[in-house]
């Protein structure tokens, strides 16, 4: 019956989005990078931070700044990163061959390691206890 009275029948519901929260972020960031040799460079960085957010329902008996303020769900207080890059030696210096130069030269080994605090991730596993081809009703196991 509601659609009968609507002027545009394809608009059955409307979604309304609003910005109803505020947040702020403060941090101390330290970075050290070093060229260790002609072919090796490395770096480390550390961030100490705090992300605060104001969101939730309003309490009429407490000021909004006090009631709604707290750590944000995306807060990561401690973060340490290490990066490295090693330009591997050129194989064409040992075996001067155009094929060796094309395939084995200009390779590098590099990586980034991150250690961070924050919200924990809960590992989980689920399975159904349906019979398999052998007729067993035991659930699958993690290999």
């Amino acid at each position: 019956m509601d659609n009968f009275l609507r002027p545009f029948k394809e608009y059955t519901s409307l979604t309304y989005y609003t910005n109803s929260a505020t947040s702020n972020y403060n941090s101390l960031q330290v970075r050290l990078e070093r060229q260790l040799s002609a072919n090796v460079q490395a770096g480390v960085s550390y961030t100490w931070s705090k992300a605060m957010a104001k969101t939730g329902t309003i309490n009429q008996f407490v000021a909004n700044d006090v009631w709604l303020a707290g750590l944000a769900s995306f807060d990561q207080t401690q973060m340490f990163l290490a990066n490295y890059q090693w330009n591997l030696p050129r194989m064409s210096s040992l075996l001067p061959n155009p094929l060796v130069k094309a395939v084995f030269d200009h390779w590098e080994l590099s990586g980034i390691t991150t250690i961070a605090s924050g919200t924990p991730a809960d590992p989980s596993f689920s399975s159904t206890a349906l019979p398999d081809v052998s007729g067993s009703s035991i659930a699958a196991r993690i290999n």
Side-chain angles (χ1 to χ4, degrees), residues 36-129:
L36 302 173
S37 69
N39 293 328
V40 179
Q41 66 182 25
V44 294
S45 67
Y46 174 75
T47 302
W48 178 53
S49 66
K50 183 178 261 189
M52 300 289 287
K54 294 179 183 176
T55 183
T57 57
I58 296 174
N59 184 338
Q60 61 181 349
F61 301 111
V62 181
N64 288 341
D65 288 344
V66 174
W67 180 257
L68 302 177
L71 282 178
S73 62
F74 52 86
D75 180 53
Q76 289 186 300
T77 307
Q78 313 281 337
M79 186 172 290
F80 175 80
L81 280 88
N83 62 69
Y84 53 89
Q85 178 182 358
W86 176 32
N87 295 327
L88 297 174
R90 296 182 180 180
M91 286 295 288
S92 63
S93 62
L94 298 174
L95 300 169
N97 184 334
L99 179 64
V100 171
K101 183 177 182 178
V103 175
F104 294 108
D105 280 1
H106 305 291
W107 284 86
E108 70 179 32
L109 180 66
S110 62
I112 301 171
T113 302
T114 304
I115 301 170
S117 66
T119 57
D122 296 327
S124 64
F125 173 76
S126 64
S127 177
T128 59

Side-chain angles (χ1 to χ4, degrees), residues 3-71:
N3 285 337
F4 179 74
L5 300 176
R6 293 179 193 262
F8 301 104
K9 292 175 180 46
E10 62 271 6
Y11 295 121
T12 57
S13 65
L14 297 175
T15 304
Y16 177 72
Y17 293 104
T18 181
N19 294 328
S20 60
T22 60
S23 64
N24 65 10
Y25 175 81
N26 296 304
S27 69
L28 168 73
Q29 300 174 6
V30 179
R31 183 175 74 176
L32 174 67
E33 292 189 10
R34 188 79 177 171
Q35 182 84 28
L36 302 173
S37 69
N39 293 328
V40 179
Q41 66 182 25
V44 294
S45 67
Y46 174 75
T47 302
W48 178 53
S49 66
K50 183 178 261 189
M52 300 289 287
K54 294 179 183 176
T55 183
T57 57
I58 296 174
N59 184 338
Q60 61 181 349
F61 301 111
V62 181
N64 288 341
D65 288 344
V66 174
W67 180 257
L68 302 177
L71 282 178

